[in-house]
Amino acid sequence: MSAVVPIKHVTVVGGGVMGSGIALITAANGYRVTVVDLNEQVLAGAQRQLEKDMKRTAMHVSKGDKDAAHAFFAEAWARVSFSVDLEKSVSSTDLVIEAIVEKLDKKQALFKALDQIAPAHTILASNTSSLSVAEIGSLTQRQDRVGGLHFFNPVPLMKLVEVVRTDHTSSGTVEALLAFGKSLRKTCITCKDTPGFIVNRLLFPVTSEALAMVERGDATPHDIDVAMKLGLGHPMGPFELMDIVGLDTIQNIQAERQARNPGDFKPSTLVSDMVKQNKLGLKTGEGFYSYK
């Protein structure tokens, strides 16, 4: 394996909430960033949201000093570009962070394509929250340069990043991902490529039981959230958290769990019904709570 090249240019594939958040903190901390999405409408939305969030970040960093905020924004925004051309975007990148839909076949197809068009030194990282990183990168010829970089939503505010190593990830790749995460002012932890990694492995039983309690009529989402916050000291309850994550993402995670454990896990009918009604949480203005 060749030496790990210092990360200077980052490509984020996926212009959704997570991809935009990752791009924001990456550009704000001095990296050149290209946001790629094949859907031009999604990419345009990402550009508008990222510009708005970058201005807010600039004001926060500058503590209200308008001149300093303007300078910070101008410098950071100049480091960001947007593209629908995947091949051109990754032709000179050092790190690709995948943040597309939480479906294994989609991610595998993307990593296979990235492996063929990205430079040999480029690290391929997935922001998956529940899928196997090894399986995502299994079709590549650079499995030593495949790892997980699991950010949490909202990315600018959440301080944790899980750096996930597979059995094939080299120590150099892990060190590069840890250094990158720390350079974004995040606290990084490492873990093996196990289902749910650390945080979601512990969270799954909580959200599953909370949903089951509501489906049985034991308690309301509001009262369960209050119980978790005031009784266990959690910063937010499971239903508030699911609204932020997105119920479509929750549904995809549950479908993956059922596929792996068909006899031990059954997806929530409540979540399925809400997704059908487009009540996906914060991003659609309504989920377990209304945000309109």
Side-chain angles (χ1 to χ4, degrees):
M1 185 191 81
S2 57
V4 175
V5 175
I7 296 171
K8 296 180 179 179
H9 179 206
V10 178
T11 299
V12 179
V13 182
V17 174
M18 293 304 294
S20 296
I22 295 168
L24 170 66
I25 62 168
T26 304
N29 284 283
Y31 294 91
R32 286 192 300 118
V33 186
T34 303
V35 181
V36 178
D37 201 295
L38 302 184
N39 185 317
E40 292 186 3
Q41 190 173 6
V42 170
L43 192 65
Q47 185 167 354
R48 289 191 299 269
Q49 188 63 47
L50 190 52
E51 182 176 10
K52 179 180 176 181
D53 292 343
M54 188 70 80
K55 288 179 178 177
R56 186 184 298 115
T57 299
M59 286 299 292
H60 174 73
V61 170
S62 305
K63 299 180 180 179
D65 184 323
K66 291 185 178 180
D67 290 339
H70 178 75
F72 180 94
F73 171 79
E75 290 178 12
W77 192 244
R79 290 191 286 266
V80 185
S81 59
F82 299 84
S83 178
V84 294
D85 189 333
L86 180 66
E87 183 170 0
K88 182 178 179 181
S89 299
V90 303
S91 62
S92 62
T93 199
D94 305 309
L95 169 65
V96 178
I97 304 175
E98 168 272 310
I100 66 171
V101 64
E102 194 75 345
K103 292 189 175 181
L104 181 60
D105 60 337
K106 301 288 186 183
K107 292 181 186 289
Q108 284 181 323
L110 174 61
F111 268 61
K112 182 178 180 180
L114 289 169
D115 185 46
Q116 295 171 353
I117 59 180
H121 74 270
T122 304
I123 295 173
L124 308 181
S126 175
N127 183 55
T128 182
S129 60
S130 62
L131 302 175
S132 165
V133 175
E135 289 185 21
I136 291 172
S138 62
L139 303 181
T140 73
Q141 300 300 311
R142 65 177 83 196
Q143 293 182 39
D144 60 315
R145 292 181 182 270
V146 171
L149 268 179
H150 181 212
F151 293 83
F152 293 81
N153 190 23
V155 178
L157 298 180
M158 297 296 280
K159 297 179 179 180
L160 182 67
V161 174
E162 291 179 316
V163 175
V164 183
R165 63 185 187 278
T166 74
D167 289 341
H168 303 290
T169 308
S170 70
S171 58
T173 297
V174 173
E175 290 170 8
L177 293 177
L178 282 170
F180 173 72
K182 291 175 182 176
S183 75
L184 303 182
R185 306 170 198 271
K186 299 298 184 184
T187 297
C188 298
I189 57 176
T190 62
C191 60
K192 289 184 177 180
D193 185 27
T194 57
F197 314 134
I198 297 175
V199 174
N200 284 334
R201 185 68 171 267
L202 298 172
L203 179 62
F204 286 156
V206 174
T207 54
S208 294
E209 184 56 30
L211 287 164
M213 290 178 72
V214 172
E215 289 171 342
R216 291 193 300 263
D218 296 343
T220 65
H222 173 265
D223 286 347
I224 293 171
D225 281 349
V226 171
M228 293 297 286
K229 289 187 287 187
L230 302 187
L232 292 175
H234 288 208
M236 69 177 70
F239 295 96
E240 293 171 311
L241 179 58
M242 284 188 279
D243 270 0
I244 291 176
V245 171
L247 297 187
D248 52 341
T249 300
I250 298 297
Q251 184 182 52
N252 288 336
I253 292 171
Q254 290 192 340
E256 180 66 21
R257 270 192 86 189
Q258 184 185 37
R260 293 180 181 277
N261 306 281
D264 299 329
F265 179 77
K266 183 179 179 182
S268 166
T269 56
L270 176 58
V271 169
S272 177
D273 290 343
M274 292 179 71
V275 170
K276 289 177 182 177
Q277 298 173 56
N278 200 40
K279 295 180 178 179
L280 307 182
L282 189 60
K283 59 187 171 185
T284 58
E286 186 175 6
F288 292 106
Y289 299 95
S290 176
Y291 303 92
K292 296 178 180 177

